[in-house]
Amino acid sequence: MSHSPTLTLPRGVSFAKVAAFAPLLPVILVIALLALPAAQGTDGGATPADAVSGLVVLYCAVRLVRERRRPLSRTAAVVLGLPVVGLAVAAVGASSPAAGIGGLGRYLQIFVLVPASVLLLVRDRRDFRVLAWAFVGFALFQGAVGVHQFVTGTGASYQGEEIRAVGTFGPADVMGMATVVAFGLMCALGLALGSTAARQRAVAAGCALVLLAPLAVSFSRGAWIATAVACTLQLVLAGMRRALKVGAVVTASAVILVGGLGLGSAMLQERISSITQVTDAPDQSVTDRYTMWAAATDMWSEHPLTGVGLKGFPEHRDGHASLALSSGSDTEGAGAAYRKQPLLSPHNMYLLVLSEQGLIGLLALGGSWLALLVCGLRGLVRARRSASGGLDCALVACGLLIWQLIDFLYADIGGPATVLTAVAFGLVAWWALVGGDDVPEASAR
């Protein structure tokens, strides 16, 4: 008599525990699929993670229908739906229907649909922490790949040497790994500062220190600035006494990492010093950025309310940019051949929105972000005063949002890692609009 095989789980793990995290699995899958190496030689295009993010939205919609519950509160609907106003106007003003629909879909994915889905799938603070640790784990993976690239000289080209850490994102998206590592660092630091469990604090603090190395060898000045400011604010928000202790540890670790171990100290010092030389003796990348910023501002001055339309910046760039703009940035290394990467955006999210969506779009999108920041900080204040917990979630959410808002001064959406930004906004939205309420720790819904 034959017996059908039975599925067994490791000791201490039950089907009930696995099923408890089922709503989060699609979101975790989105994060995991970003580990796939980016296809080289292509300009944009949907990635497997983008496709699964669409399934996350569909999965969330099906759950809402089956459970017959109200999707979003009125406040959440207004805050997350506010960007749609500017997007709709800018889509109508696009140069072609294809550009309008494509741009509208991308913005809705990153700033409305995926964040709203993550907000609805996260049920309590335990779920929030699971996703925060998923960010940390993915950052450690990408960081390990990046450090290996730096040590072995198999990274993207930087000053004639293939040492720039880009992870699996390739030389065409040099900000991808830096963004992932910075997100992981924000999550790890928030968990270390706000957790009540000593073991979790120790592990999270260790992860944060480890992630400093790949962030350093990413050679991304924008990510460094955003991380330094966001980490400082996280420390201050957690309490001055703890801020001084952790700040001393981080400073000592950075000195040992860069000075004592000689982790690219000469190049790092040169890169850091270049931050203060952007006006005196800017390199070509800074010159290109300033030129594109001026072009974006010029576009907005001609169309102040509605901009030039979604995906209109590349088409109008040459008519507004000065001769100082180069033909593109040189990319090679990390398994890819030499390629001239066209400059199709101003590398400033605020100026990109202003040039393509005008003042209406910037006020709508910026208003949504400002509302999330205010609500998130208000929830953080409540978490510090309350005994119901949640300070770690508050610090993670506020850290992610502050980092992103600062980084948007030097970068915009684009590349495979952009979908991770959408998930991060979902975590921020959950804390700001749901989890920040003074409710019991077991369930924040």
Side-chain angles (χ1 to χ4, degrees):
M1 181 177 179
S2 62
H3 297 276
S4 59
T6 58
L7 179 63
T8 60
L9 293 175
R11 180 177 297 179
V13 179
S14 65
F15 284 102
K17 291 182 179 180
V18 175
F21 294 108
L24 301 180
L25 295 181
V27 183
I28 295 175
L29 182 59
V30 171
I31 299 174
L33 286 175
L34 286 172
L36 296 176
Q40 304 300 327
T42 59
D43 294 316
T47 65
D50 287 315
V52 174
S53 74
L55 295 179
V56 169
V57 175
L58 180 61
Y59 171 71
C60 181
V62 171
R63 282 181 59 89
L64 290 176
V65 172
R66 290 184 60 184
E67 295 175 4
R68 297 180 180 178
R69 61 186 176 92
R70 183 178 179 179
L72 296 170
S73 67
R74 184 176 301 176
T75 301
V78 170
V79 172
L80 292 178
L82 192 58
V84 178
V85 177
L87 291 173
V89 174
V92 173
S95 59
S96 67
I101 295 174
L104 179 64
R106 186 61 162 167
Y107 274 95
L108 289 178
Q109 173 201 12
I110 303 304
F111 298 117
V112 180
L113 296 178
V114 173
S117 299
V118 173
L119 182 153
L120 291 167
L121 292 175
V122 173
R123 296 158 299 177
D124 51 36
R125 292 167 185 167
R126 182 183 61 174
D127 284 359
F128 184 100
R129 295 183 184 108
V130 169
L131 290 183
W133 279 110
F135 270 71
V136 175
F138 183 53
L140 291 172
F141 166 76
Q142 288 289 346
V145 174
V147 171
H148 179 267
Q149 291 171 335
F150 173 79
V151 173
T152 60
T154 56
S157 178
Y158 177 76
Q159 294 186 354
E161 299 183 55
E162 295 185 352
I163 58 170
R164 187 169 192 174
V166 292
T168 62
F169 295 100
D173 185 16
V174 293
M175 280 293 295
M177 189 213 73
T179 299
V180 170
V181 170
F183 279 167
L185 203 157
M186 293 298 103
C187 291
L189 185 58
L191 292 167
L193 292 172
S195 175
T196 56
R199 182 177 180 182
Q200 179 170 281
R201 287 201 309 269
V203 173
C207 292
L209 293 175
V210 168
L211 289 173
L212 289 174
L215 183 65
V217 295
S218 71
F219 295 103
S220 173
R221 291 172 293 199
W224 291 348
I225 294 172
T227 301
V229 176
C231 284
T232 301
L233 291 176
Q234 273 185 313
L235 291 169
V236 172
L237 292 172
M240 290 304 299
R241 181 180 299 178
R242 186 173 295 180
L244 292 175
K245 292 181 180 179
V246 178
V249 173
V250 171
T251 302
S253 301
V255 171
I256 295 173
L257 184 68
V258 178
L261 301 181
L263 187 59
S265 56
M267 287 187 173
L268 283 175
Q269 290 173 7
E270 180 182 349
R271 189 69 166 171
I272 293 172
S273 63
S274 69
I275 295 175
T276 61
Q277 297 171 355
V278 293
T279 56
D280 298 332
D283 56 30
Q284 186 58 49
S285 66
V286 175
T287 300
D288 287 339
R289 185 162 299 186
Y290 282 168
T291 304
M292 291 188 293
W293 287 4
T297 305
D298 198 35
M299 292 179 203
W300 168 69
S301 65
E302 292 186 0
H303 306 273
L305 287 180
T306 60
V308 297
L310 292 181
K311 291 195 171 183
F313 182 88
E315 181 180 345
H316 292 80
R317 183 200 64 183
D318 292 341
H320 296 82
S322 69
L323 295 178
L325 183 66
S326 66
S327 58
S329 58
D330 299 331
T331 63
E332 63 178 326
Y338 172 82
R339 185 167 178 259
K340 181 72 76 172
Q341 188 76 10
L343 303 174
L344 302 178
S345 73
H347 295 289
N348 180 304
M349 190 65 199
Y350 305 104
L351 290 178
L352 177 63
V353 173
L354 193 63
S355 63
E356 293 188 346
Q357 302 179 40
L359 197 58
I360 295 176
L362 183 61
L363 290 177
L365 197 56
S368 176
W369 298 339
L370 181 59
L372 290 177
L373 181 60
V374 171
C375 292
L377 291 174
R378 185 179 61 184
L380 186 147
V381 172
R382 278 201 295 262
R384 288 191 60 179
R385 295 175 177 175
S386 173
S388 63
L391 181 59
D392 54 345
C393 300
L395 292 171
V396 168
C398 293
L400 288 173
L401 183 57
I402 291 170
W403 186 93
Q404 191 63 76
L405 294 181
I406 296 172
D407 185 69
F408 273 161
L409 292 169
Y410 312 97
D412 47 49
I413 59 174
T418 301
V419 70
L420 194 65
T421 300
V423 178
F425 268 108
L427 285 178
V428 171
W430 181 84
W431 172 258
L433 303 172
V434 178
D437 294 334
D438 192 9
V439 295
E441 177 73 13
S443 176
R445 290 194 78 90

